[in-house]
Amino acid sequence: MAKPTVFVTRKIAPEGLKILQEKTNVKIWDSEDACPRSELLKNVAGCDGILCTINDQIDAEVLNAAGKKLKVISTMSVGILHISTTECGKRGIQVTSTPDVASDSAAEFTVALTLVTTRRLLEGMDAVLKGEWGLWRPMWICGIEMVDRTIGIMGFGRVGFGVARRLKPFNVTKLIYHDLYRAGYADQVDAKLVTFDELVTQSDILIVCCAATPKTTKIFNKETFAKMKEGSIFINTSRGIVVDHDALAEAVQKGRPKRVGLDVTDPEPLPKDHPLMNNRKVIITPHIATNTWTTRINMAVNAANNLSAALCGRDDLPNEYSYAGKYDCR
Ligand SMILES: O=C(O)C(=O)CO
């Protein structure tokens, strides 16, 4: 039987590529940079499967360009916002993602971003680089501690729980979270399920780890920020689309929240002249929460295994997007 053909839209770890090369004919956009749209449309033609990343918009146009043989989209990501699952559902195309392998790196990074923001590390480093470091000053670059603060986590899935677990050894005693359901494992970290309103009004440090869905799209907006505690901290490592960034910029001016750490924005990158840029109270990192070598290799292997499992006749895909076709966020 002829081997299926797949298009890989980006250079991926060789460990993943090897799996695909054994079982399929691989075409690859062998670059660190995103495949231009015209190349994507050209290269998917006649493919049985596509291995993509979060920058490839997989919509009706791409699915049409691929043609009738296309059976599976395997995204090397946790998020699936870039895939029109409705269109895939209509055509019976399976969608798989890599949800398990990135949780530790994402949770670890979220804790790092939280600490960098609460303790104002970048301002300290900036001062040193600018030669502003004089004799010790008692009130200079003071931040807040986590002990005795209320830490709120929006979205208590793998990453949210991972953050909570990592914060416990910091002597965090007041942990609250909001999610659609009570998470059984929340008891392991003494985290209390609260309403969204309670989360927003009670958190000293609000950490967003939720999935982007129609319900969470721009859930952090002008009204939400107005309810936050004065002096609070806002961290987002989930998806930019859950935040109204213009509203956030205005909110920071009013001190609710007082400091912000973002690894994701909407759009990405945020325009250079956006008021959140070049604001010393705002730390923005370029969507790197899962960037570790281990995670990148595991994501590539996971995405390759998902793709080859789908093309080699398995119906029970390990990481199939179970609600494929039910909604799209964009
Ligand atoms: O996996 C994802 O969804 C990312 O955002 C990058 O790891």
Side-chain angles (χ1 to χ4, degrees):
M1 215 171 70
K3 278 183 177 178
T5 300
V6 300
F7 180 53
V8 179
T9 67
R10 195 75 67 93
K11 187 187 208 117
I12 60 167
E15 289 85 344
L17 200 56
K18 195 163 159 259
I19 294 170
L20 290 177
Q21 282 163 339
E22 276 164 14
K23 300 195 175 152
T24 65
N25 295 316
V26 182
K27 290 195 275 178
I28 181 165
W29 182 257
D30 200 11
S31 166
E32 268 283 298
D33 295 316
C35 178
R37 182 80 179 169
S38 57
E39 290 295 330
L40 177 66
L41 292 171
K42 210 178 345 164
N43 278 288
V44 294
C47 282
D48 302 270
I50 301 173
L51 190 153
C52 65
T53 71
I54 54 172
N55 299 117
D56 310 303
Q57 293 304 317
I58 307 294
D59 52 15
E61 190 185 21
V62 171
L63 302 180
N64 290 342
K68 292 225 168 352
K69 275 172 74 192
L70 187 67
K71 193 163 180 273
V72 55
I73 308 290
S74 166
T75 182
M76 195 179 82
S77 63
V78 182
I80 41 106
L81 263 186
H82 52 296
I83 302 174
S84 173
T85 50
T86 311
E87 289 298 330
C88 289
K90 274 192 221 158
R91 294 163 163 84
I93 295 169
Q94 288 175 300
V95 176
T96 68
S97 59
T98 57
D100 296 314
V101 291
S103 315
D104 281 325
S105 54
E108 192 175 286
F109 182 92
T110 305
V111 171
L113 184 59
T114 304
L115 286 166
V116 165
T117 310
T118 53
R119 300 303 305 272
R120 305 174 60 180
L121 258 62
L122 294 191
E123 283 171 75
M125 185 178 151
D126 202 34
V128 172
L129 293 177
K130 286 187 177 141
E132 291 167 5
W133 184 14
L135 290 180
W136 185 77
R137 296 178 202 134
M139 307 294 190
W140 196 42
I141 312 187
C142 289
I144 64 164
E145 290 164 34
M146 296 207 197
V147 179
D148 290 334
R149 299 285 180 168
T150 299
I151 317 281
I153 301 184
M154 173 69 181
F156 216 63
R158 295 178 188 86
V159 178
F161 177 58
V163 170
R165 261 193 316 139
R166 284 167 174 80
L167 288 182
K168 283 307 271 184
F170 281 83
N171 276 346
V172 165
T173 47
K174 296 183 198 161
L175 260 178
I176 56 176
Y177 72 97
H178 177 71
D179 210 321
L180 293 179
Y181 307 102
R182 194 181 158 274
Y185 44 81
D187 294 343
Q188 290 177 35
V189 287
D190 296 323
K192 188 175 152 226
L193 176 66
V194 294
T195 63
F196 180 67
D197 223 49
E198 286 166 339
L199 182 89
V200 169
T201 52
Q202 292 177 17
S203 297
D204 295 301
I205 302 172
L206 207 171
I207 305 175
V208 184
C209 303
C210 63
T213 69
K215 276 206 169 131
T216 58
T217 298
K218 296 227 185 332
I219 192 166
F220 292 98
N221 51 41
K222 192 173 172 189
E223 287 73 43
T224 321
F225 292 128
K227 289 181 194 168
M228 284 187 78
K229 279 187 177 173
E230 208 177 333
S232 55
I233 308 281
F234 181 78
I235 306 292
N236 184 19
T237 57
S238 67
R239 277 292 180 265
I241 196 174
V242 305
V243 175
D244 178 336
H245 288 84
D246 294 340
L248 177 57
E250 277 179 32
V252 176
Q253 297 302 327
K254 296 177 189 155
R256 294 169 198 267
K258 184 171 185 185
R259 294 185 197 286
V260 174
L262 305 173
D263 183 53
V264 286
T265 59
D266 184 34
E268 279 178 17
L270 208 55
K272 283 200 178 113
D273 60 353
H274 192 279
L276 286 171
M277 301 283 261
N278 302 313
N279 181 336
R280 289 168 76 92
K281 295 190 170 153
V282 181
I283 292 174
I284 303 180
T285 50
H287 200 142
I288 52 169
T290 65
N291 292 27
T292 64
W293 294 116
T294 308
T295 293
R296 276 300 168 272
I297 292 169
N298 290 342
M299 284 173 91
V301 167
N302 199 190
N305 278 333
N306 290 341
L307 191 58
S308 69
L311 294 177
C312 299
R314 267 184 72 169
D315 292 330
D316 58 330
L317 284 188
N319 295 302
E320 184 167 8
Y321 174 57
S322 57
Y323 40 113
K326 291 213 179 111
Y327 67 72
D328 279 316
C329 284
R330 293 207 189 252

